Amino acid sequence: MKPINVGLLGIGTVGGGVFAVLKRNADEITRRAGREIRITAVADKDIERARRHAGGTVKVTDDAFSVTRDSDIDIVVELIGGTAVAKDLVLSAIENGKHVVTANKALLAVHGNEIFAAARRRDVMVAFEAAVAGGIPIIKALREGLSANRIEWVAGIINGTTNFILSEMRSKGLAFGEVLKEAQRLGYAEADPTFDIEGVDAAHKATIMSAIAFGIPMQFDKAHIEGISKLESVDIAYAEQLGYRIKLLGIARKRQEGIELRVHPALVPASRLIANVEGAMNAVLVQGDAVGATLYYGKGAGAEPTASAVIADLVDITRLHTADPEHRVPHLAFQPDQMRDVPVLPIGETLTSYYLRMRVLDQPGVLADITRILADSQISIDAMVQHEADEGESQTDIILLTHQTIEKNADAAIARIESLDSVLGKVTRLRLEEL
Ligand code: HSE
């Protein structure tokens, strides 16, 4: 059978990986796909770099739209990133009847509803395995492998940069700023690390997972996003003393009232497998009503891990592109007319447990005042630590772990605790997920 022709937009690290893996594993990939998958055109602003990767037989251009319009191309792979030109290119490819493979989480989280609607109108596939957790086939698992289940929640370590930083902070007892510099030196963090460290990248991925787990539209603008830049190493150390690790989690959880969609640092029991995912690795835990918990672990970034996901999408499309569009796997796992507009809950409605650290005067009645406020708010205490005050010190830290409560209830209790004369400064509050 004649090869399927692919046009690649953007040939940075991942594009290079796609070339390398397609070449190295050509026989195996063809045996699986049923025909050869061949990159026949590459667009990149850096023509020389594109030529180096692509070799002599591939068309190289700096005009990406010429690839999306090229009648010889069957599938366009978008590896440019961002939400500006990438969106125009993906929509142009779709309008020209091309199937699309993209690793672009920001594009799908922000403009996915529009892109998938356009793809349905033109009967083309938009595949995005590489957009979430790099080489881990989590999209495949959620869309297909778990399709018997009511998915209850998904919780993932889906940003390698922040997981690397948190691992280093814990193992070396270093402050966030110091580790960030080291991560940048080692190439784990970008020169501008904002999207990673402030949780935006993880929120893009959590948004995509929420859509395919629950059959809801992408609602990135409703996601609650907190990063790790304000996290203090003292809390990592206290959490460890209490048997927990702090991880940046992307969580999508279905409750009767709506969907929780949130990214923030959270305490996770150290005994959980996911708590032991260290360094730049990713892991996603999915709770289904039939299967129970399943855990997916692997490299969330890098040339060949991401290429692995991109090529898996190319194989899927190659197998399915002649099938009746009605018989393909729906973009967001659920049939388009079965998508539900379930609301994403405001963060104040989140149901979770809390870690509270407060600096207090070491004098009679302080603990009683604090626990009275929690009791008045129906917040039950799960564990508590108070160290002896240092010699000559009249202040000490109290750390409390609570049982589950609604966040606005916890916030109100914290405000009352902060108003006590015996409590000094702000209460540090972190969410705790038993998972
Ligand atoms: N910057 C991401 C990470 C990888 O650190 O995991 C690409 O999404």
Side-chain angles (χ1 to χ4, degrees):
M1 210 186 279
K2 90 177 187 36
I4 197 144
N5 291 338
V6 176
L8 204 63
L9 311 182
I11 190 148
T13 312
V14 176
V18 172
F19 261 104
V21 177
L22 265 182
K23 188 168 172 200
R24 189 171 72 236
N25 297 342
D27 286 350
E28 294 285 87
I29 292 167
T30 305
R31 283 173 63 210
R32 291 188 173 108
R35 54 199 280 204
E36 186 192 346
I37 295 173
R38 205 168 56 181
I39 298 175
T40 53
V42 172
D44 199 284
K45 276 191 281 196
D46 186 341
I47 296 257
E48 284 316 309
R49 179 175 68 174
R51 283 218 174 90
R52 271 198 310 278
H53 282 291
T57 57
V58 176
K59 276 189 266 182
V60 172
T61 174
D62 61 0
D63 176 11
F65 286 96
S66 71
V67 176
T68 65
R69 289 190 295 257
D70 186 337
S71 57
D72 289 339
I73 298 289
D74 303 298
I75 309 174
V76 167
V77 176
E78 184 273 308
L79 299 174
I80 290 174
T83 52
V85 69
K87 180 186 175 198
D88 295 339
L89 286 165
V90 164
L91 288 174
S92 162
I94 290 169
E95 287 317 315
N96 284 286
K98 319 286 180 214
H99 303 288
V100 172
V101 173
T102 178
N104 191 333
K105 59 230 82 170
L107 179 65
L108 294 181
V110 177
H111 299 296
N113 300 327
E114 182 185 343
I115 288 169
F116 294 126
R120 275 198 306 281
R121 282 196 298 273
R122 293 291 283 130
D123 284 342
V124 295
M125 288 174 271
V126 175
F128 50 95
E129 186 61 72
V132 180
I136 305 174
I138 186 63
I139 301 299
K140 191 78 161 178
L142 282 170
R143 284 205 321 182
E144 299 179 52
L146 298 174
S147 56
N149 289 262
R150 259 189 300 113
I151 308 262
E152 293 168 3
W153 51 260
V154 178
I157 295 172
I158 42 181
N159 183 269
T161 306
T162 43
N163 203 50
F164 172 82
I165 293 173
L166 292 176
S167 298
E168 292 287 291
M169 284 174 76
R170 185 182 70 80
S171 62
K172 300 186 177 155
L174 296 174
F176 170 80
E178 278 176 88
V179 180
L180 173 61
K181 276 196 209 119
E182 177 68 358
Q184 285 172 316
R185 200 182 60 75
L186 293 171
Y188 284 117
E190 311 261 351
D192 178 359
T194 315
F195 261 38
D196 289 320
I197 63 173
E198 297 305 347
V200 180
D201 173 75
H204 288 144
K205 296 167 183 167
T207 299
I208 295 172
M209 290 197 291
S210 72
I212 58 174
F214 308 128
I216 58 171
M218 301 283 178
Q219 300 178 71
F220 172 71
D221 54 336
K222 309 266 174 48
H224 175 81
I225 310 175
E226 282 173 45
I228 62 165
S229 58
K230 295 191 179 67
L231 195 66
E232 295 182 51
S233 25
V234 65
D235 295 307
I236 295 178
Y238 278 137
E240 186 142 47
Q241 286 171 24
L242 288 157
Y244 293 83
R245 300 253 167 100
I246 297 182
K247 295 290 178 189
L248 183 73
L249 294 183
I251 298 174
R253 180 157 167 245
K254 193 170 184 185
R255 298 204 349 245
Q256 221 169 5
E257 301 83 347
I259 307 284
E260 291 181 6
L261 178 56
R262 49 195 169 97
V263 170
H264 51 74
L267 278 76
V268 178
S271 56
R272 299 279 183 274
L273 274 177
I274 195 168
N276 294 281
V277 170
E278 298 287 9
M281 300 304 278
N282 280 200
V284 182
L285 189 55
V286 184
Q287 178 75 24
D289 71 324
V291 72
T294 52
L295 179 66
Y296 308 84
Y297 168 84
K299 289 185 180 156
E304 294 208 358
T306 311
S308 166
V310 168
I311 295 168
D313 280 345
L314 290 173
V315 170
D316 265 358
I317 292 177
T318 304
R319 286 166 172 161
L320 284 172
H321 83 296
T322 51
D324 180 339
E326 300 292 313
H327 297 156
R328 295 175 186 152
V329 180
H331 291 118
L332 294 179
F334 290 71
Q335 298 300 333
D337 61 350
Q338 293 299 316
M339 298 291 285
R340 302 255 160 90
D341 237 333
V342 185
V344 170
L345 296 167
I347 190 67
E349 297 299 330
T350 297
L351 178 67
T352 190
S353 306
Y354 294 90
Y355 159 103
L356 307 176
R357 170 172 62 86
M358 56 208 82
R359 190 86 181 144
V360 299
L361 293 178
D362 192 13
Q363 64 188 28
V366 173
L367 195 54
D369 289 343
I370 293 166
T371 53
R372 169 55 42 210
I373 290 172
L374 292 172
D376 287 349
S377 309
Q378 301 296 311
I379 298 172
S380 176
I381 296 168
D382 185 38
M384 204 212 83
V385 175
Q386 182 190 332
H387 293 289
E388 262 180 281
D390 291 336
E391 188 82 29
E393 277 276 353
S394 58
Q395 304 173 2
T396 188
D397 282 339
I398 290 178
I399 295 96
L400 291 164
L401 303 185
T402 75
H403 285 291
Q404 282 194 333
T405 186
I406 294 289
E407 180 140 329
K408 62 185 179 198
N409 193 31
D411 285 345
I414 290 167
R416 283 185 63 199
I417 291 172
E418 284 174 343
S419 71
L420 294 172
D421 290 340
S422 51
V423 173
L424 310 166
K426 303 294 269 180
V427 173
T428 298
R429 184 209 61 180
L430 293 166
R431 300 178 189 89
L432 184 158
E433 300 291 334
E434 287 296 335
L435 301 179

